[in-house]
Each structure stands twice: as C-alpha cells, then as structure tokens.
Amino acid sequence: MKYLFMPVITFVLICTLAYDGVPRPARSLRAIADERRLLIGACVSTRHLQANEDYRATLANEFNSIVAENDMKFHRLQPRKGEFAFGNADRLVAFAKENDMSVRGHTLMWHDSVPAWLKETAWSKEELREILKTHIETVLERYKGKIFAWDVVNEAITDEGEWRESIWYDTLGEDFLFDAFRWARETDPNTKLFYNDYSAEPVNTKSDRIYALVQDMKENGVPIDGVGFQLHIRAEDELDVESIRENIRRLANLGLEVHFTEVDVRIRKPVTEEKLALQAQRYRELMELFLSEPNCTAFLTWGVSDRYSWIPGHFEGYDDALLFDRAFLPKPAYEALYQSIEQN
Ligand code: XIL
C-alpha cells in the first residue's frame, strides 16, 4: 500500500519545491539598483497597498519607483465633471514618499478609462478642449514636484500606424496631442513628458508612425522628453532585441529618453519550469538591452506579484507574467533581472 502513495508524495514534493521561489539574495533588487542609480519600479494599486502587508513590503524592499496601475487615470481622478477625487492617488504618492521612492504618472489622456459623464455628452470642440486643459492643469498642479515623469498621451496610434479613434481624437483632431503636451509643460516645467504605447518597441509600422510624430513635435517646439515602451510581451515569442535597439537609438538621436513602462512577460498556461526559465530569459534580454542604451532611464513592471495582475483578465489562457509569485516569492525572472543588473 505504501508504494502506492510514493508517486503521490513525490509529486506533492516536486510541486512544493517548484513553488518555493528562487533563493532570495542577501541584498534586494532595489539595493543593487540604488547603488547603480537605476530606476526600477512597478505599478501599484492603492487597494492592495492598503490591504496586503506582503505587497507593501515587497514594493518598498525591491523597487525604488512606482506608477499607479489605475488610480491616476482620468475616470479615477475626475469621476464627475469638475469634481476631482485625489484620495487614492494621494495615498500612493504618500507611500512613495515614506519609502523614498519616485513616482511615474500614468496617464493624462487615453481612449480608455474615460468617465461616463465625458462619454455621454456630445461636446463641442471648445468644450472638450477646456475639459482636457482643466484636467491636465489640475492634476499636474497637484503633483508638482512629486512626479518625475508623466505619460501625457497613451496609445494614440493604432497598430496600422493610424490615429486611433477616441473621444479626444474624434472631436479635437491631431491638435489634442500637441496641446496636451504644451499644457503639461506650462503647468509643471520640471516633470518629464512622455508618449506611451504598446507593440511599438521594434521598428515596425506603428513605431515608425510614433517616431514621425515625436520628430514632428521636436521640430515644431512641442515639448516632449521621451517615449514609453509598454512591453507587454509573451514568453514564447522571440524578442527582436536588435530591432528594439534600433528604435531606441533613433529616439536617442532626437534627444529623447525611453522608459520601459509596463513590462510583463506572460506565460501560456499550464506554467512549467521550462516556461518560467524562458520568461526569465526574456526579462534578462530586456534588462541587458535597457542597461546598454544610455537613453533608457526607467524600467517598470506592470505589477508586483502574480497574485494581482491584469493578465488573466485580458489575455485568455495566459498568466504569471511578473517577478514574484502569488506568495510574493521571487521567481526565476527575478533572479535573471537581478543578475543582469549585478553583472553590468
Ligand atoms: C490596465 C490595468 O492593469 C487594468 O487593471 C485595467 O483594467 C485596464 O488597464 N496599457 C496601459 C495600462 O497603458 O494603463 C493598462 O492597465 C494596460 C495596458
């Protein structure tokens, strides 16, 4: 009878071992990043920040920067016209201050996360312009000196390199984007202004269009400091590092910084040790690329632990995209990121 249980016991043992995380190094990721003046961050939800001690501890120990996952989006900050709700965003900024972390701002305008009151009315161009101006000025004024960089505009270009339809573009046309950057600069001259997007990391139709756009901005004196690469990628896809490098360099030639703003490497389920190793390799490739290009100045992951991640809700069949597992134990991806920083 006992022989019958052996395979079961062995299986349970293997599972336990596999989920024990990689050994935690004596010094944290944050410690070695701080030493090299490297900005390493994660997106944060104020709700989890308040509810979970492991979440708070992991953030404060392992990262030196944060960005709000949702709490600084338009619908959260201005749920009713002219009524701003800064509570959660303020709590996040306070947490960063207590723990000596910097804050990235995300995001002033996006086609998504627009409040109902804004969507439901057919605004005239003048009215909508005024709404946007007030929003940008109010938010930037509030966090003046507290947020080192803002995603002023998020995802305005489609994969085909066209303007994306949105409440902003449909009513205001292309000017919306230039105006937004100008208002942001006027309100807080010291925060860096970014255009942020996804699937535009290598040289492709979309990144060509974004390049042309930011080049046009630079030539016409529209203030912009950098481009955000979201980098929501899949472990199974090869990373075209050299093409991403080429894109980073052409932006550098325009005098622009690049932030890796929302890195996550999702795994197709079921998750195996091989897939975790492949994921670790992708994180390593990204960090090595990041470290080798001087205009890459911030590296943030889109979440802290696989316990809370947007991936399962948005990409069916995928999960486990982050550096820490559900028990906040470091994964091979953490080890890979750590080693690539240490070795550089
Ligand atoms: C996502 C959040 O993670 C989710 O919680 C929310 O439901 C939708 O937005 N690109 C972005 C981020 O710029 O703001 C998105 O965040 C993920 C994709």
Side-chain angles (χ1 to χ4, degrees):
M1 188 63 184
K2 77 175 179 211
Y3 295 109
L4 226 131
F5 284 114
M6 278 307 279
V8 177
I9 291 168
T10 316
F11 178 75
V12 170
L13 252 173
I14 288 172
C15 289
T16 320
L17 284 177
Y19 281 95
D20 224 11
V22 295
R24 215 179 261 277
R27 303 173 66 223
S28 69
L29 186 65
R30 175 179 186 166
I32 62 164
D34 280 346
E35 213 166 70
R36 291 162 177 78
R37 295 176 183 280
L38 213 117
L39 219 145
I40 181 114
C43 86
V44 173
S45 128
T46 313
R47 189 158 58 89
H48 304 322
L49 204 56
Q50 288 175 312
N52 190 320
E53 169 55 30
D54 288 336
Y55 185 82
R56 280 196 296 277
T58 308
L59 265 168
N61 291 332
E62 304 285 355
F63 301 94
N64 55 26
S65 188
I66 54 175
V67 56
E69 179 164 14
N70 293 303
D71 291 318
M72 290 191 187
K73 289 174 181 168
F74 202 120
H75 66 319
R76 293 285 174 89
L77 290 185
Q78 201 182 158
R80 280 166 299 281
K81 188 170 186 307
E83 285 180 35
F84 286 80
F86 287 117
N88 281 338
D90 282 356
R91 276 185 270 280
L92 204 139
V93 172
F95 174 82
K97 186 154 190 267
E98 276 159 33
N99 294 286
D100 199 19
M101 303 164 101
S102 62
V103 184
R104 234 187 146 266
H106 176 82
T107 174
L108 297 169
M109 54 185 318
W110 190 22
H111 62 275
D112 200 294
S113 300
V114 172
W117 66 265
L118 198 48
K119 272 189 280 197
E120 283 159 6
T121 311
W123 306 99
S124 70
K125 198 165 175 171
E126 289 64 37
E127 285 168 333
L128 194 62
R129 233 178 144 250
E130 205 46 46
I131 288 170
L132 182 60
K133 185 166 188 277
T134 304
H135 186 79
I136 292 177
E137 288 175 351
T138 310
V139 174
L140 261 76
E141 190 60 45
R142 179 148 192 119
Y143 296 114
K144 218 172 179 168
K146 295 180 178 155
I147 293 192
F148 77 98
W150 269 101
D151 289 330
V152 180
V153 175
N154 198 33
E155 303 179 353
I157 302 294
T158 65
D159 290 355
E160 293 72 39
E162 307 292 339
W163 285 102
R164 184 192 293 280
E165 287 179 11
S166 74
I167 172 165
W168 311 113
Y169 178 74
D170 298 350
T171 309
L172 303 178
E174 301 178 11
D175 284 352
F176 84 89
L177 189 134
F178 307 118
D179 285 339
F181 278 84
R182 287 199 187 97
W183 293 325
R185 177 65 97 235
E186 278 161 22
T187 315
D188 183 355
N190 296 318
T191 193
K192 299 212 163 150
L193 308 180
F194 275 69
Y195 173 84
N196 190 49
D197 216 323
Y198 64 91
S199 299
E201 295 91 12
V203 174
N204 57 28
T205 309
K206 187 171 185 174
S207 67
D208 283 349
R209 182 70 186 87
I210 293 169
Y211 175 76
L213 182 68
V214 296
Q215 186 180 37
D216 185 43
M217 290 170 77
K218 288 296 274 186
E219 279 167 7
N220 289 294
V222 180
I224 178 163
D225 301 295
V227 174
F229 289 9
Q230 293 188 7
L231 286 159
H232 297 292
I233 63 173
R234 303 192 297 195
E236 74 224 46
D237 294 337
E238 278 200 24
L239 204 59
D240 193 345
V241 173
E242 290 319 309
S243 182
I244 303 177
R245 189 188 305 284
E246 196 184 325
N247 192 26
I248 292 172
R249 288 194 177 164
R250 66 176 170 176
L251 294 169
N253 289 335
L254 291 179
L256 293 172
E257 291 179 37
V258 170
H259 286 176
F260 288 10
T261 52
E262 306 183 13
V263 180
D264 54 21
V265 183
R266 58 188 183 273
I267 294 179
R268 189 193 290 277
K269 291 193 278 194
V271 177
T272 60
E273 284 199 38
E274 286 71 32
K275 292 182 191 173
L276 286 169
L278 195 58
Q279 173 183 59
Q281 185 188 321
R282 300 289 174 241
Y283 271 101
R284 180 189 300 277
E285 287 165 338
L286 282 178
M287 184 49 91
E288 283 174 354
L289 170 65
F290 174 83
L291 293 171
S292 65
E293 296 302 321
N295 65 321
C296 289
T297 46
F299 187 114
L300 293 97
T301 58
W302 205 241
V304 180
S305 137
D306 293 333
R307 187 183 186 116
Y308 313 116
S309 157
W310 76 305
I311 294 294
H314 289 78
F315 299 94
E316 216 194 316
Y318 284 86
D319 208 347
D320 291 40
L322 296 164
L323 301 178
F324 295 88
D325 70 11
R326 286 170 182 70
F328 292 88
L329 294 172
K331 293 163 59 182
Y334 172 90
E335 196 172 41
L337 211 65
Y338 191 98
Q339 287 170 351
S340 41
I341 294 176
E342 227 184 5
Q343 286 156 12
N344 267 275

